[in-house]
Amino acid sequence: MSIKTLAPDWNDLLKEEFEKPYFKILSASVNSAYKNGPVYPPSKLVFNALNLCPFKSLKVVIIGQDPYHGAGQAHGLCFSVNDGIRQPPSLQNIFKEIESHIPGFKAPLSGNLEAWAKQGVLLLNAVLTVSQSAPGSHKSFGWENFTDAIIRLISERKEHVVFLLWGSYAISKAPLIDNAKHLVLTAAHPSPLARGAFFGSRHFSKTNAYLKDHQLEPIDWSLK
């Protein structure tokens, strides 16, 4: 992992973070993990969520926990998988929820969400790496110090961003966000383990209504 793979705008915004002692320890832990076995996503895609969503165009933040831990799945965007990879159940439920209230939306064959990122949706996992078949294995590395700093930075320097927090873990990030400046929407996690509690949240139409109210271009949730 190298910060050289990070886009210049984010690199400038986060340069103070890179100088902190925790980040040096984090980098060493991540680089060691890559040397000692399969780690996902590929190292060049660790900062993919940031690189595909420039700070100036960021309008929506979706927070995940850590990357998918199976071969070929993760590519640096929370909930998203590479083209040709079977959609995980949580992603299938996200598409079902969109289909239920966004006219014309049809669940796509691919689970690749890059089209959202390029419209200003930051698909940010709180932990950016994981070892193969070991969910949560990099949670102790210090990633959350870094991603919490990103959330705070967005809250402080942007206005009228929609934060979508699904499940208790993501909802725990709410104190980092100034809800006087931004819209914070919470719901159950889209995982089947939540027994359908995610359905009916209508977060995708609520997001677009808020963006329109603040003269911002809504998100085209379709994945063509």
Side-chain angles (χ1 to χ4, degrees):
M1 179 191 77
S2 171
I3 60 173
K4 292 179 180 178
T5 63
L6 184 58
D9 62 340
W10 283 106
N11 215 324
D12 289 344
L13 288 163
L14 294 166
K15 59 186 177 183
E16 292 183 10
E17 215 61 30
F18 298 140
E19 297 302 318
K20 293 181 179 179
Y22 88 82
F23 194 85
K24 299 180 187 303
I25 296 169
L26 166 62
S27 295
S29 298
V30 172
N31 289 332
S32 176
Y34 274 105
K35 290 176 183 176
N36 291 321
V39 171
Y40 305 121
S43 59
K44 66 182 179 180
L45 296 179
V46 169
F47 299 121
N48 202 26
L50 299 169
N51 290 338
L52 289 176
C53 181
F55 185 78
K56 65 179 180 180
S57 61
L58 189 156
K59 295 182 283 191
V60 180
V61 179
I62 300 177
I63 298 175
Q65 193 157 351
D66 63 349
Y68 297 120
H69 52 85
Q73 291 180 299
H75 63 135
L77 308 178
C78 72
F79 294 104
S80 180
V81 290
N82 281 302
D83 292 323
I85 298 294
R86 184 178 179 182
Q87 295 172 11
S90 291
L91 184 56
Q92 292 178 27
N93 283 344
I94 289 169
F95 290 151
K96 288 177 184 176
E97 172 61 16
I98 301 174
E99 198 167 20
S100 74
H101 71 287
I102 298 291
F105 181 88
K106 298 294 181 187
L109 295 176
S110 174
N112 188 325
L113 304 180
E114 287 185 5
W116 293 1
K118 292 174 181 177
Q119 293 179 73
V121 181
L122 179 62
L123 295 156
L124 182 68
N125 276 314
V127 176
L128 296 186
T129 56
V130 69
S131 292
Q132 184 177 36
S133 303
S137 51
H138 295 189
K139 185 173 171 58
S140 64
F141 286 4
W143 272 125
E144 287 174 280
N145 292 324
F146 180 65
T147 54
D148 283 359
I150 292 172
I151 296 167
R152 278 193 294 265
L153 177 74
I154 295 167
S155 178
E156 291 167 5
R157 301 204 189 183
K158 300 280 286 187
E159 290 185 337
H160 311 314
V161 173
V162 183
F163 290 82
L164 303 182
L165 310 182
W166 301 332
S168 58
Y169 180 81
I171 292 169
S172 74
K173 305 296 181 179
L176 304 173
I177 305 161
D178 182 351
N179 61 13
K181 293 170 58 182
H182 307 287
L183 178 63
V184 179
L185 296 175
T186 63
H189 196 278
S191 166
L193 296 176
R195 300 183 182 275
F198 175 72
F199 296 128
S201 60
R202 302 180 69 87
H203 278 188
F204 302 93
S205 60
K206 289 176 181 177
T207 293
N208 280 350
Y210 179 85
L211 294 176
K212 288 178 185 177
D213 285 346
H214 292 90
Q215 290 73 56
L216 295 167
E217 188 71 22
I219 304 300
D220 178 1
W221 297 109
S222 65
L223 296 164
K224 299 168 184 175

